[in-house]
mmCIF file of all heavy atoms in Angstrom:
data_model
loop_
_atom_site.group_PDB
_atom_site.id
_atom_site.type_symbol
_atom_site.label_atom_id
_atom_site.label_comp_id
_atom_site.label_asym_id
_atom_site.label_seq_id
_atom_site.Cartn_x
_atom_site.Cartn_y
_atom_site.Cartn_z
ATOM 1 N N PRO A 20 30.619 8.989 -8.933
ATOM 2 C CA PRO A 20 29.717 8.751 -10.063
ATOM 3 C C PRO A 20 29.570 7.277 -10.440
ATOM 4 O O PRO A 20 28.598 6.908 -11.117
ATOM 5 C CB PRO A 20 30.375 9.550 -11.201
ATOM 6 C CG PRO A 20 31.147 10.623 -10.513
ATOM 7 C CD PRO A 20 31.702 9.926 -9.305
ATOM 8 N N TYR A 21 30.501 6.438 -10.007
ATOM 9 C CA TYR A 21 30.438 5.014 -10.325
ATOM 10 C C TYR A 21 29.717 4.181 -9.256
ATOM 11 O O TYR A 21 29.527 2.970 -9.452
ATOM 12 C CB TYR A 21 31.847 4.451 -10.517
ATOM 13 C CG TYR A 21 32.407 4.637 -11.908
ATOM 14 C CD1 TYR A 21 33.474 5.502 -12.138
ATOM 15 C CD2 TYR A 21 31.874 3.948 -12.996
ATOM 16 C CE1 TYR A 21 34.001 5.680 -13.412
ATOM 17 C CE2 TYR A 21 32.387 4.113 -14.275
ATOM 18 C CZ TYR A 21 33.450 4.980 -14.484
ATOM 19 O OH TYR A 21 33.960 5.147 -15.751
ATOM 20 N N ILE A 22 29.319 4.789 -8.153
ATOM 21 C CA ILE A 22 28.720 4.005 -7.067
ATOM 22 C C ILE A 22 27.488 3.247 -7.545
ATOM 23 O O ILE A 22 27.269 2.084 -7.180
ATOM 24 C CB ILE A 22 28.381 4.913 -5.861
ATOM 25 C CG1 ILE A 22 29.676 5.344 -5.160
ATOM 26 C CG2 ILE A 22 27.478 4.185 -4.864
ATOM 27 C CD1 ILE A 22 29.473 6.358 -4.048
ATOM 28 N N ASP A 23 26.686 3.871 -8.394
ATOM 29 C CA ASP A 23 25.473 3.220 -8.882
ATOM 30 C C ASP A 23 25.712 2.395 -10.148
ATOM 31 O O ASP A 23 24.768 2.070 -10.876
ATOM 32 C CB ASP A 23 24.378 4.261 -9.114
ATOM 33 C CG ASP A 23 23.834 4.813 -7.795
ATOM 34 O OD1 ASP A 23 23.669 4.026 -6.846
ATOM 35 O OD2 ASP A 23 23.582 6.034 -7.708
ATOM 36 N N TYR A 24 26.980 2.065 -10.431
ATOM 37 C CA TYR A 24 27.356 1.113 -11.487
ATOM 38 C C TYR A 24 27.909 -0.132 -10.798
ATOM 39 O O TYR A 24 29.117 -0.293 -10.652
ATOM 40 C CB TYR A 24 28.425 1.713 -12.404
ATOM 41 C CG TYR A 24 27.937 2.783 -13.352
ATOM 42 C CD1 TYR A 24 27.556 4.035 -12.891
ATOM 43 C CD2 TYR A 24 27.879 2.550 -14.726
ATOM 44 C CE1 TYR A 24 27.114 5.022 -13.752
ATOM 45 C CE2 TYR A 24 27.450 3.536 -15.608
ATOM 46 C CZ TYR A 24 27.058 4.768 -15.111
ATOM 47 O OH TYR A 24 26.628 5.746 -15.976
ATOM 48 N N PRO A 25 27.038 -1.043 -10.340
ATOM 49 C CA PRO A 25 27.497 -2.157 -9.489
ATOM 50 C C PRO A 25 28.508 -3.086 -10.159
ATOM 51 O O PRO A 25 29.261 -3.785 -9.476
ATOM 52 C CB PRO A 25 26.196 -2.906 -9.146
ATOM 53 C CG PRO A 25 25.215 -2.495 -10.193
ATOM 54 C CD PRO A 25 25.583 -1.094 -10.565
ATOM 55 N N GLU A 26 28.548 -3.082 -11.488
ATOM 56 C CA GLU A 26 29.502 -3.951 -12.179
ATOM 57 C C GLU A 26 30.928 -3.416 -12.126
ATOM 58 O O GLU A 26 31.884 -4.124 -12.452
ATOM 59 C CB GLU A 26 29.081 -4.135 -13.646
ATOM 60 C CG GLU A 26 29.232 -2.899 -14.531
ATOM 61 C CD GLU A 26 28.104 -1.871 -14.405
ATOM 62 O OE1 GLU A 26 27.254 -2.021 -13.499
ATOM 63 O OE2 GLU A 26 28.081 -0.927 -15.214
ATOM 64 N N VAL A 27 31.093 -2.158 -11.707
ATOM 65 C CA VAL A 27 32.419 -1.533 -11.611
ATOM 66 C C VAL A 27 32.911 -1.652 -10.176
ATOM 67 O O VAL A 27 32.296 -1.108 -9.249
ATOM 68 C CB VAL A 27 32.376 -0.056 -12.045
ATOM 69 C CG1 VAL A 27 33.755 0.584 -11.901
ATOM 70 C CG2 VAL A 27 31.868 0.074 -13.481
ATOM 71 N N LYS A 28 34.017 -2.355 -9.975
ATOM 72 C CA LYS A 28 34.572 -2.515 -8.631
ATOM 73 C C LYS A 28 35.418 -1.297 -8.274
ATOM 74 O O LYS A 28 36.221 -0.829 -9.083
ATOM 75 C CB LYS A 28 35.416 -3.795 -8.549
ATOM 76 C CG LYS A 28 34.622 -5.071 -8.793
ATOM 77 C CD LYS A 28 35.516 -6.299 -8.731
ATOM 78 C CE LYS A 28 34.707 -7.583 -8.881
ATOM 79 N NZ LYS A 28 34.028 -7.676 -10.198
ATOM 80 N N LEU A 29 35.254 -0.797 -7.061
ATOM 81 C CA LEU A 29 35.967 0.384 -6.588
ATOM 82 C C LEU A 29 37.001 -0.044 -5.559
ATOM 83 O O LEU A 29 36.678 -0.746 -4.592
ATOM 84 C CB LEU A 29 34.988 1.376 -5.950
ATOM 85 C CG LEU A 29 33.771 1.777 -6.802
ATOM 86 C CD1 LEU A 29 32.862 2.723 -6.028
ATOM 87 C CD2 LEU A 29 34.219 2.400 -8.120
ATOM 88 N N VAL A 30 38.251 0.369 -5.780
ATOM 89 C CA VAL A 30 39.345 -0.036 -4.891
ATOM 90 C C VAL A 30 40.147 1.189 -4.477
ATOM 91 O O VAL A 30 40.740 1.872 -5.316
ATOM 92 C CB VAL A 30 40.292 -1.053 -5.570
ATOM 93 C CG1 VAL A 30 41.351 -1.517 -4.573
ATOM 94 C CG2 VAL A 30 39.522 -2.232 -6.132
ATOM 95 N N GLY A 31 40.162 1.463 -3.179
ATOM 96 C CA GLY A 31 41.025 2.502 -2.629
ATOM 97 C C GLY A 31 42.312 1.869 -2.132
ATOM 98 O O GLY A 31 42.311 0.729 -1.654
ATOM 99 N N VAL A 32 43.403 2.610 -2.243
ATOM 100 C CA VAL A 32 44.714 2.086 -1.844
ATOM 101 C C VAL A 32 45.331 2.999 -0.801
ATOM 102 O O VAL A 32 45.605 4.172 -1.073
ATOM 103 C CB VAL A 32 45.658 1.942 -3.056
ATOM 104 C CG1 VAL A 32 46.981 1.324 -2.615
ATOM 105 C CG2 VAL A 32 45.006 1.098 -4.145
ATOM 106 N N GLU A 33 45.526 2.458 0.393
ATOM 107 C CA GLU A 33 46.103 3.223 1.499
ATOM 108 C C GLU A 33 47.624 3.065 1.541
ATOM 109 O O GLU A 33 48.192 2.146 0.935
ATOM 110 C CB GLU A 33 45.513 2.754 2.825
ATOM 111 C CG GLU A 33 44.028 3.041 2.977
ATOM 112 C CD GLU A 33 43.585 2.878 4.420
ATOM 113 O OE1 GLU A 33 43.558 1.723 4.914
ATOM 114 O OE2 GLU A 33 43.271 3.887 5.057
ATOM 115 N N ALA A 34 48.252 3.949 2.302
ATOM 116 C CA ALA A 34 49.705 3.942 2.432
ATOM 117 C C ALA A 34 50.135 2.947 3.500
ATOM 118 O O ALA A 34 49.873 3.144 4.695
ATOM 119 C CB ALA A 34 50.205 5.345 2.790
ATOM 120 N N GLY A 35 50.814 1.900 3.050
ATOM 121 C CA GLY A 35 51.304 0.879 3.985
ATOM 122 C C GLY A 35 52.637 1.222 4.610
ATOM 123 O O GLY A 35 53.098 0.500 5.506
ATOM 124 N N GLY A 36 53.282 2.303 4.149
ATOM 125 C CA GLY A 36 54.546 2.725 4.731
ATOM 126 C C GLY A 36 55.567 1.605 4.748
ATOM 127 O O GLY A 36 55.854 0.977 3.734
ATOM 128 N N GLN A 37 56.078 1.316 5.935
ATOM 129 C CA GLN A 37 57.046 0.239 6.109
ATOM 130 C C GLN A 37 56.387 -1.087 6.479
ATOM 131 O O GLN A 37 57.066 -2.059 6.798
ATOM 132 C CB GLN A 37 58.074 0.645 7.172
ATOM 133 C CG GLN A 37 58.892 1.860 6.758
ATOM 134 C CD GLN A 37 59.839 2.314 7.848
ATOM 135 O OE1 GLN A 37 60.188 1.553 8.760
ATOM 136 N NE2 GLN A 37 60.277 3.564 7.770
ATOM 137 N N GLY A 38 55.055 -1.104 6.427
ATOM 138 C CA GLY A 38 54.309 -2.332 6.734
ATOM 139 C C GLY A 38 53.237 -2.059 7.770
ATOM 140 O O GLY A 38 53.491 -1.366 8.760
ATOM 141 N N ILE A 39 52.035 -2.622 7.559
ATOM 142 C CA ILE A 39 50.940 -2.310 8.492
ATOM 143 C C ILE A 39 51.058 -3.069 9.809
ATOM 144 O O ILE A 39 50.265 -2.834 10.720
ATOM 145 C CB ILE A 39 49.559 -2.548 7.855
ATOM 146 C CG1 ILE A 39 49.405 -3.992 7.371
ATOM 147 C CG2 ILE A 39 49.321 -1.564 6.721
ATOM 148 C CD1 ILE A 39 47.988 -4.313 6.895
ATOM 149 N N ASP A 40 52.039 -3.945 9.915
ATOM 150 C CA ASP A 40 52.300 -4.592 11.207
ATOM 151 C C ASP A 40 53.420 -3.880 11.963
ATOM 152 O O ASP A 40 53.885 -4.367 12.991
ATOM 153 C CB ASP A 40 52.648 -6.065 11.001
ATOM 154 C CG ASP A 40 51.472 -6.857 10.454
ATOM 155 O OD1 ASP A 40 50.331 -6.560 10.858
ATOM 156 O OD2 ASP A 40 51.684 -7.751 9.611
ATOM 157 N N THR A 41 53.845 -2.727 11.429
ATOM 158 C CA THR A 41 54.801 -1.853 12.116
ATOM 159 C C THR A 41 54.066 -0.575 12.516
ATOM 160 O O THR A 41 52.934 -0.346 12.096
ATOM 161 C CB THR A 41 55.978 -1.479 11.182
ATOM 162 O OG1 THR A 41 55.535 -0.470 10.251
ATOM 163 C CG2 THR A 41 56.496 -2.685 10.424
ATOM 164 N N PRO A 42 54.695 0.294 13.307
ATOM 165 C CA PRO A 42 54.048 1.575 13.633
ATOM 166 C C PRO A 42 54.163 2.600 12.506
ATOM 167 O O PRO A 42 53.677 3.716 12.650
ATOM 168 C CB PRO A 42 54.840 2.051 14.859
ATOM 169 C CG PRO A 42 55.673 0.909 15.317
ATOM 170 C CD PRO A 42 55.913 0.076 14.102
ATOM 171 N N TYR A 43 54.789 2.236 11.382
ATOM 172 C CA TYR A 43 55.148 3.219 10.361
ATOM 173 C C TYR A 43 54.306 3.050 9.094
ATOM 174 O O TYR A 43 54.764 2.524 8.072
ATOM 175 C CB TYR A 43 56.645 3.119 10.042
ATOM 176 C CG TYR A 43 57.500 3.250 11.274
ATOM 177 C CD1 TYR A 43 58.128 2.127 11.819
ATOM 178 C CD2 TYR A 43 57.655 4.478 11.920
ATOM 179 C CE1 TYR A 43 58.894 2.230 12.974
ATOM 180 C CE2 TYR A 43 58.417 4.593 13.069
ATOM 181 C CZ TYR A 43 59.034 3.470 13.591
ATOM 182 O OH TYR A 43 59.780 3.578 14.736
ATOM 183 N N HIS A 44 53.055 3.454 9.190
ATOM 184 C CA HIS A 44 52.153 3.403 8.043
ATOM 185 C C HIS A 44 51.043 4.432 8.263
ATOM 186 O O HIS A 44 51.004 5.124 9.282
ATOM 187 C CB HIS A 44 51.568 1.999 7.874
ATOM 188 C CG HIS A 44 50.698 1.547 9.005
ATOM 189 N ND1 HIS A 44 49.368 1.894 9.112
ATOM 190 C CD2 HIS A 44 50.981 0.798 10.104
ATOM 191 C CE1 HIS A 44 48.863 1.357 10.218
ATOM 192 N NE2 HIS A 44 49.824 0.698 10.835
ATOM 193 N N ALA A 45 50.130 4.530 7.279
ATOM 194 C CA ALA A 45 49.013 5.470 7.389
ATOM 195 C C ALA A 45 47.731 4.814 6.867
ATOM 196 O O ALA A 45 46.930 5.443 6.184
ATOM 197 C CB ALA A 45 49.323 6.745 6.614
ATOM 198 N N ALA A 46 47.544 3.547 7.209
ATOM 199 C CA ALA A 46 46.400 2.778 6.718
ATOM 200 C C ALA A 46 45.237 2.872 7.702
ATOM 201 O O ALA A 46 44.941 1.931 8.441
ATOM 202 C CB ALA A 46 46.815 1.324 6.486
ATOM 203 N N SER A 47 44.554 3.995 7.700
ATOM 204 C CA SER A 47 43.519 4.265 8.696
ATOM 205 C C SER A 47 42.332 3.319 8.587
ATOM 206 O O SER A 47 41.785 2.881 9.607
ATOM 207 C CB SER A 47 43.017 5.706 8.547
ATOM 208 O OG SER A 47 44.077 6.618 8.611
ATOM 209 N N ILE A 48 41.900 3.012 7.367
ATOM 210 C CA ILE A 48 40.734 2.136 7.213
ATOM 211 C C ILE A 48 41.092 0.711 7.630
ATOM 212 O O ILE A 48 40.316 0.031 8.304
ATOM 213 C CB ILE A 48 40.218 2.164 5.766
ATOM 214 C CG1 ILE A 48 39.672 3.555 5.430
ATOM 215 C CG2 ILE A 48 39.139 1.106 5.546
ATOM 216 C CD1 ILE A 48 39.129 3.686 4.019
ATOM 217 N N ASN A 49 42.279 0.245 7.257
ATOM 218 C CA ASN A 49 42.673 -1.135 7.533
ATOM 219 C C ASN A 49 43.172 -1.360 8.951
ATOM 220 O O ASN A 49 43.084 -2.485 9.454
ATOM 221 C CB ASN A 49 43.749 -1.562 6.531
ATOM 222 C CG ASN A 49 43.171 -1.896 5.172
ATOM 223 O OD1 ASN A 49 42.669 -2.988 4.957
ATOM 224 N ND2 ASN A 49 43.214 -0.939 4.246
ATOM 225 N N ARG A 50 43.705 -0.318 9.587
ATOM 226 C CA ARG A 50 44.284 -0.504 10.917
ATOM 227 C C ARG A 50 43.797 0.509 11.956
ATOM 228 O O ARG A 50 44.220 0.471 13.101
ATOM 229 C CB ARG A 50 45.813 -0.441 10.845
ATOM 230 C CG ARG A 50 46.475 -1.709 10.300
ATOM 231 C CD ARG A 50 46.290 -2.859 11.270
ATOM 232 N NE ARG A 50 47.039 -4.044 10.882
ATOM 233 C CZ ARG A 50 46.558 -5.016 10.106
ATOM 234 N NH1 ARG A 50 45.326 -4.915 9.624
ATOM 235 N NH2 ARG A 50 47.299 -6.075 9.807
ATOM 236 N N GLY A 51 42.894 1.381 11.575
ATOM 237 C CA GLY A 51 42.408 2.379 12.520
ATOM 238 C C GLY A 51 41.236 1.883 13.351
ATOM 239 O O GLY A 51 40.775 0.751 13.212
ATOM 240 N N GLN A 52 40.764 2.766 14.220
ATOM 241 C CA GLN A 52 39.582 2.501 15.042
ATOM 242 C C GLN A 52 38.629 3.676 14.889
ATOM 243 O O GLN A 52 39.035 4.789 14.562
ATOM 244 C CB GLN A 52 39.972 2.342 16.511
ATOM 245 C CG GLN A 52 40.942 1.211 16.785
ATOM 246 C CD GLN A 52 41.425 1.206 18.230
ATOM 247 O OE1 GLN A 52 41.160 2.144 18.979
ATOM 248 N NE2 GLN A 52 42.137 0.167 18.616
ATOM 249 N N VAL A 53 37.353 3.432 15.148
ATOM 250 C CA VAL A 53 36.380 4.513 15.048
ATOM 251 C C VAL A 53 36.709 5.587 16.084
ATOM 252 O O VAL A 53 36.939 5.295 17.261
ATOM 253 C CB VAL A 53 34.951 3.989 15.268
ATOM 254 C CG1 VAL A 53 33.952 5.142 15.257
ATOM 255 C CG2 VAL A 53 34.590 2.971 14.191
ATOM 256 N N GLY A 54 36.775 6.823 15.627
ATOM 257 C CA GLY A 54 37.070 7.937 16.514
ATOM 258 C C GLY A 54 36.683 9.244 15.848
ATOM 259 O O GLY A 54 36.117 9.256 14.751
ATOM 260 N N VAL A 55 36.977 10.328 16.515
ATOM 261 C CA VAL A 55 36.669 11.659 15.990
ATOM 262 C C VAL A 55 37.980 12.383 15.721
ATOM 263 O O VAL A 55 38.856 12.447 16.582
ATOM 264 C CB VAL A 55 35.805 12.465 16.972
ATOM 265 C CG1 VAL A 55 35.650 13.912 16.504
ATOM 266 C CG2 VAL A 55 34.437 11.816 17.117
ATOM 267 N N LEU A 56 38.115 12.901 14.507
ATOM 268 C CA LEU A 56 39.305 13.650 14.125
ATOM 269 C C LEU A 56 38.886 14.793 13.220
ATOM 270 O O LEU A 56 38.146 14.586 12.260
ATOM 271 C CB LEU A 56 40.296 12.731 13.388
ATOM 272 C CG LEU A 56 41.599 13.394 12.904
ATOM 273 C CD1 LEU A 56 42.456 13.829 14.090
ATOM 274 C CD2 LEU A 56 42.382 12.441 12.000
ATOM 275 N N HIS A 57 39.362 15.975 13.540
ATOM 276 C CA HIS A 57 39.120 17.161 12.720
ATOM 277 C C HIS A 57 37.642 17.330 12.371
ATOM 278 O O HIS A 57 37.277 17.607 11.235
ATOM 279 C CB HIS A 57 39.985 17.117 11.461
ATOM 280 C CG HIS A 57 41.447 17.155 11.768
ATOM 281 N ND1 HIS A 57 42.374 16.385 11.102
ATOM 282 C CD2 HIS A 57 42.152 17.857 12.701
ATOM 283 C CE1 HIS A 57 43.578 16.612 11.606
ATOM 284 N NE2 HIS A 57 43.466 17.496 12.573
ATOM 285 N N GLY A 58 36.812 17.131 13.385
ATOM 286 C CA GLY A 58 35.407 17.503 13.259
ATOM 287 C C GLY A 58 34.478 16.461 12.698
ATOM 288 O O GLY A 58 33.298 16.748 12.470
ATOM 289 N N ASN A 59 34.969 15.234 12.448
ATOM 290 C CA ASN A 59 34.065 14.198 11.932
ATOM 291 C C ASN A 59 34.400 12.842 12.533
ATOM 292 O O ASN A 59 35.534 12.595 12.938
ATOM 293 C CB ASN A 59 34.117 14.140 10.404
ATOM 294 C CG ASN A 59 35.428 13.576 9.875
ATOM 295 O OD1 ASN A 59 35.510 12.455 9.382
ATOM 296 N ND2 ASN A 59 36.493 14.365 9.970
ATOM 297 N N ARG A 60 33.381 11.967 12.588
ATOM 298 C CA ARG A 60 33.605 10.600 13.070
ATOM 299 C C ARG A 60 34.036 9.748 11.887
ATOM 300 O O ARG A 60 33.366 9.710 10.854
ATOM 301 C CB ARG A 60 32.340 10.021 13.688
ATOM 302 C CG ARG A 60 32.563 8.606 14.248
ATOM 303 C CD ARG A 60 31.300 7.954 14.735
ATOM 304 N NE ARG A 60 30.854 8.522 15.995
ATOM 305 C CZ ARG A 60 29.702 9.145 16.183
ATOM 306 N NH1 ARG A 60 28.881 9.299 15.157
ATOM 307 N NH2 ARG A 60 29.356 9.617 17.359
ATOM 308 N N THR A 61 35.156 9.048 12.073
ATOM 309 C CA THR A 61 35.714 8.274 10.981
ATOM 310 C C THR A 61 36.619 7.197 11.568
ATOM 311 O O THR A 61 36.563 6.914 12.774
ATOM 312 C CB THR A 61 36.477 9.209 10.001
ATOM 313 O OG1 THR A 61 36.928 8.438 8.890
ATOM 314 C CG2 THR A 61 37.653 9.900 10.668
ATOM 315 N N MET A 62 37.464 6.594 10.750
ATOM 316 C CA MET A 62 38.472 5.667 11.242
ATOM 317 C C MET A 62 39.767 6.445 11.455
ATOM 318 O O MET A 62 40.211 7.172 10.552
ATOM 319 C CB MET A 62 38.714 4.531 10.251
ATOM 320 C CG MET A 62 37.498 3.642 10.024
ATOM 321 S SD MET A 62 36.991 2.741 11.505
ATOM 322 C CE MET A 62 38.248 1.460 11.551
ATOM 323 N N VAL A 63 40.351 6.270 12.630
ATOM 324 C CA VAL A 63 41.491 7.088 13.042
ATOM 325 C C VAL A 63 42.605 6.184 13.554
ATOM 326 O O VAL A 63 42.350 5.196 14.253
ATOM 327 C CB VAL A 63 41.081 8.082 14.162
ATOM 328 C CG1 VAL A 63 42.255 8.975 14.554
ATOM 329 C CG2 VAL A 63 39.888 8.928 13.724
ATOM 330 N N MET A 64 43.832 6.525 13.206
ATOM 331 C CA MET A 64 44.989 5.861 13.790
ATOM 332 C C MET A 64 45.175 6.407 15.204
ATOM 333 O O MET A 64 45.606 7.540 15.384
ATOM 334 C CB MET A 64 46.231 6.135 12.945
ATOM 335 C CG MET A 64 46.177 5.575 11.535
ATOM 336 S SD MET A 64 46.078 3.783 11.498
ATOM 337 C CE MET A 64 47.587 3.378 12.375
#
């Protein structure tokens, strides 16, 4: 509902786990690649 309120900044927070430079995290948007998972094209680890 806030997408069309440009003055409101939207921030999503992903799970960095033990650090995104380690194999132990779940930051798909920040460290994933485009792929297909569970029926949709998205960013995938």
Side-chain angles (χ1 to χ4, degrees):
Y21 275 111
I22 288 174
D23 289 320
Y24 287 70
E26 70 280 9
V27 178
K28 297 179 176 63
L29 307 178
V30 184
V32 183
E33 294 194 290
Q37 297 176 21
I39 58 173
D40 294 323
T41 77
Y43 305 106
H44 64 83
S47 305
I48 294 180
N49 283 279
R50 283 293 187 269
Q52 300 173 351
V53 176
V55 172
L56 179 66
H57 297 139
N59 71 107
R60 182 186 286 118
T61 184
M62 296 296 284
V63 182
M64 296 297 301

